Amino acid sequence: MDDLSCASERIGSDRLLSIQNVSEITGFCPVVASRLMKESGREIVVHRRKYILESSLLAYLRELERR
């Protein structure tokens, strides 16, 4: 599974997003997208690759919006 196909992988009704997917969604560069995933406290690391559930990313962005 490469990074570009991860957005189509679903866990229940949730998408599993890679750093590249988060970068595309947010418009941030991959380094900032990776930091955002880690900062959220909800990143999933599998074989040295970072992922985050789409709902977790959106929930974290909503938290930031309220600050």
Side-chain angles (χ1 to χ4, degrees):
M1 174 185 334
D2 62 29
D3 282 350
L4 296 178
S5 68
C6 290
S8 64
E9 297 299 318
R10 293 197 176 270
I11 297 177
S13 61
D14 228 341
R15 294 190 306 164
L16 186 62
L17 304 175
S18 67
I19 293 171
Q20 183 64 36
N21 300 135
V22 173
S23 178
E24 290 169 2
I25 289 168
T26 61
F28 298 145
C29 72
V31 172
V32 174
S34 176
R35 287 183 187 160
L36 180 70
M37 293 165 70
K38 183 176 180 106
E39 182 182 290
S40 75
R42 297 173 177 108
E43 72 178 343
I44 300 166
V45 179
V46 179
H47 298 291
R48 298 180 61 194
R49 292 185 182 250
K50 289 183 183 181
Y51 301 96
I52 191 167
L53 293 175
E54 185 176 34
S55 61
S56 295
L57 174 65
L58 295 175
Y60 182 64
L61 292 174
R62 284 186 196 103
E63 286 175 26
L64 291 177
E65 181 181 44
R66 290 185 205 124
R67 291 183 187 174

